[in-house]
Amino acid sequence: MTEYLTVTHLTKYLKLKFDRDPYLERVYLTGQVSNFRKRPTHQYFSLKDEGAVIQATMWAGAYKKLGFDLEEGMKLNVIGRVQLYEPGGSYSIIIEKAEPDGVGALALQFEQLKKKLTAEGYFDQKHKQPLPQFVSKIGVITSSSGAVIRDIITTLSRRFPGVEILLFPTKVQGEGAAQEVRTNIMRANQRDDLDLLIVGRGGGSIEDLWAFNEEIVVQAIFESKLPIISSVGHETDTTLADFVADRRAATPTAAAELATPVTKADLISWIAQQQNRSYQACLRRIKQNQEKVANLSQSVIFRQPERLYDAYVQKIDRFDVALRANLKDRITKARERKLQLDHQLIGLQLQTKIERYQDRVRTTSRLLISNMTNQYDGQLARFEKAQDALLSLDTNRIIARGYAMVKKDQELVASIRDVVKGDQLSIMMRDGQLEVEVKNVKNENI
């Protein structure tokens, strides 16, 4: 009699076979990713080739260790175990490790991160900071025992002696290296005595240089307020730090040369050029001012200074005539008013009223005449003071008081600096003119 198995019994039997088969406990499989949709934790997708499809599962812990993102159509080499899912009667592979077929996982991770950061604008030229032309203190983020710091010190000492170097000893390879690089970049940016930073290390494999491909390092370089020169690896090595840095140098020596674009000798030559330019500019300015003085010395005003106040004297004369006429007119009107008051007083019947009005007339007249006289005296005094001030500008009057006027080639001599030994001078005095020759020049202030 035939014995029929239940579906459950058959599935359990097959699962037992799957679990005990050593060939299925560790499977090396190649396939193309299909039906992939990234989930928050565990990942479920398919692996397929030209003839078959198998379901694949990757637990969250294994997925986090990949180092790259799965993509639809990506060809993978995976290591895992095959299991049978009893409720569904289906089998699948549980993936423990995976790497891209034909390219390393780090290389793929590099390209994926580079693509992402490029899209976010981290490598745009508009974010690059210019390097300072002159530096006094440079920060270097690298290993304290490597050749990088020695090459930088040697180059800077040769090109620009006196530039200070501040080393931030940093782990540049292995676990924790990226975090140290990021931390020291942030520390350097907290200082106010640095002009720029050099971040670098020697050459090596992509694994050795990987710290400089970490996103936290790229972020720190991008956010740095100090300009950064990246010198990671050799000329053929390229990291994401090179793309985001303000400048990339192929070697530590090249980084030091970029940090000091001019040598000390170049700087001394530049200062000499600027000094000569300033000297020539001063000479041109002096010549222009000398020409202005020469032109002014030919002016009529300087040859006949009395013309400066001729118009003011005439104006004062007109004011004096007008003032005298006005004062005379007001005095005449005051006298007429007094006569009118006198005539009014004659008509008064009472002697007491006549006397009172006469007193008021006399008092008013005195006040009016006194006030007008004071005003005239004050204005006349101001006129005479102004006239004396103007007349004091007359060179003939100045000479008449005992002073002398010295001329050289018909030009006034204003300072002893304008005279040298052997010059012929004319000295104008109140009673004549002297022609002299300078025998010696002494200036107590020189």
Side-chain angles (χ1 to χ4, degrees):
M1 183 176 179
T2 303
E3 183 179 355
Y4 291 90
L5 297 174
T6 64
V7 175
T8 300
H9 285 139
L10 177 60
T11 303
K12 286 184 178 294
Y13 174 79
L14 292 175
K15 178 174 174 52
L16 187 62
K17 285 289 187 180
F18 271 68
D19 292 342
R20 292 183 177 180
D21 190 337
Y23 181 77
L24 299 178
E25 287 181 359
R26 194 162 189 80
V27 176
Y28 295 81
L29 190 66
T30 296
Q32 189 176 14
V33 176
S34 178
N35 296 323
F36 175 76
R37 180 172 60 83
K38 188 175 181 180
R39 292 171 170 80
T41 54
H42 312 308
Q43 306 301 318
Y44 302 95
F45 55 95
S46 301
L47 286 177
K48 67 177 183 178
D49 57 18
E50 293 82 356
V53 177
I54 185 174
Q55 298 303 312
T57 301
M58 182 174 286
W59 305 126
Y63 183 70
K64 289 180 179 179
K65 295 179 182 179
L66 275 184
F68 62 92
D69 294 329
L70 292 177
E71 296 177 356
E72 182 73 18
M74 181 184 291
K75 191 173 183 181
L76 295 178
N77 293 329
V78 304
I79 302 174
R81 55 187 174 84
V82 177
Q83 74 166 10
L84 182 68
Y85 181 61
E86 293 181 62
S90 60
Y91 76 98
S92 63
I93 182 170
I94 306 299
I95 298 176
E96 299 172 353
K97 293 183 180 180
E99 65 178 16
D101 181 50
V103 62
L106 289 179
L108 179 62
Q109 185 179 353
F110 176 89
E111 292 300 328
Q112 288 180 341
L113 186 55
K114 179 183 176 184
K115 182 178 179 181
K116 171 192 171 186
L117 296 176
T118 300
E120 293 176 359
Y122 277 77
F123 308 142
D124 289 353
Q125 191 64 34
K126 65 182 180 181
H127 298 308
K128 307 293 185 185
Q129 301 183 74
L131 301 183
Q133 186 175 11
F134 303 109
V135 295
S136 59
K137 194 169 187 178
I138 299 173
V140 180
I141 297 176
T142 189
S143 171
S144 59
S145 59
V148 173
I149 186 62
R150 293 196 300 272
D151 291 346
I152 290 175
I153 291 174
T154 300
T155 304
L156 290 178
S157 299
R158 170 177 52 84
R159 286 177 59 83
F160 216 107
V163 172
E164 292 186 58
I165 300 172
L166 178 61
L167 173 64
F168 294 85
T170 308
K171 185 178 181 180
V172 293
Q173 180 177 335
E175 186 177 355
Q179 184 62 43
E180 280 199 30
V181 173
R182 173 181 177 272
T183 300
N184 282 334
I185 291 176
M186 295 173 66
R187 284 178 55 206
N189 274 272
Q190 292 174 354
R191 302 178 65 98
D192 57 3
D193 58 343
L194 295 177
D195 298 308
L196 62 81
L197 288 177
I198 296 177
V199 178
R201 59 150 288 155
S205 65
I206 189 172
E207 291 84 1
D208 296 336
L209 304 178
W210 192 253
F212 297 91
N213 290 320
E214 295 282 0
E215 189 169 359
I216 59 172
V217 172
V218 175
Q219 183 77 23
I221 295 176
F222 181 79
E223 293 177 350
S224 173
K225 296 179 181 179
L226 291 170
I228 292 182
I229 300 174
S230 173
S231 176
V232 180
H234 297 303
E235 187 168 0
T236 56
D237 300 321
T238 305
T239 65
L240 296 179
D242 296 327
F243 288 110
V244 73
D246 299 298
R247 293 290 294 274
R248 190 243 175 179
T251 63
T253 299
E257 291 175 348
L258 285 174
T260 52
V262 296
T263 66
K264 193 168 186 178
D266 295 334
L267 180 60
I268 292 174
S269 175
W270 179 82
I271 292 174
Q273 292 176 3
Q274 298 304 311
Q275 185 180 23
N276 183 60
R277 290 179 60 185
S278 300
Y279 175 72
Q280 295 298 328
C282 288
L283 287 182
R284 288 194 296 271
R285 178 61 63 86
I286 291 172
K287 185 176 180 180
Q288 291 172 358
N289 290 336
Q290 287 176 339
E291 292 175 353
K292 289 181 180 179
V293 171
N295 292 334
L296 289 174
S297 65
Q298 301 300 320
S299 172
V300 174
I301 293 177
F302 281 88
R303 287 186 284 108
Q304 297 179 354
E306 62 273 9
R307 293 194 178 189
L308 285 172
Y309 54 85
D310 281 349
Y312 293 102
V313 172
Q314 294 174 0
K315 192 173 183 180
I316 290 173
D317 288 341
R318 289 197 298 270
F319 285 154
D320 180 58
V321 171
L323 179 62
R324 293 177 184 275
N326 181 268
L327 184 59
K328 184 178 180 180
D329 182 62
R330 294 182 67 176
I331 292 173
T332 300
K333 290 180 178 180
R335 288 174 176 171
E336 292 175 354
R337 177 62 177 165
K338 179 180 178 297
L339 291 175
Q340 291 176 1
L341 293 174
D342 289 340
H343 291 311
Q344 291 176 2
L345 289 176
I346 294 174
L348 294 177
Q349 299 297 323
L350 298 175
Q351 186 62 34
T352 56
K353 289 184 179 181
I354 293 175
E355 292 177 354
R356 188 163 56 249
Y357 280 114
Q358 286 178 340
D359 291 339
R360 290 177 61 185
V361 170
R362 285 193 292 269
T363 301
T364 302
S365 298
R366 285 196 299 271
L367 289 174
L368 286 173
I369 294 172
S370 176
N371 186 36
M372 292 179 184
T373 302
N374 290 337
Q375 290 182 4
Y376 172 78
D377 291 341
Q379 293 185 12
L380 184 61
R382 287 195 294 272
F383 162 76
E384 291 174 349
K385 184 177 181 180
Q387 188 176 36
D388 290 340
L390 289 172
L391 291 175
S392 66
L393 298 175
D394 189 347
T395 55
N396 292 329
R397 289 174 174 265
I398 295 173
I399 293 174
R401 292 200 299 271
Y403 293 95
M405 182 169 61
V406 180
K407 288 187 176 182
K408 173 184 172 182
D409 298 328
Q410 300 304 317
E411 299 290 337
L412 284 177
V413 176
S415 170
I416 195 170
R417 297 177 184 274
D418 298 332
V419 179
V420 297
K421 183 178 179 180
D423 281 349
Q424 299 295 324
L425 303 180
S426 296
I427 302 177
M428 306 295 297
M429 304 181 72
R430 63 182 178 181
D431 56 351
Q433 177 174 317
L434 296 178
E435 299 294 332
V436 300
E437 178 181 342
V438 176
K439 297 298 183 179
N440 192 10
V441 178
K442 293 184 179 180
N443 189 341
E444 302 271 337
N445 295 325
I446 296 180

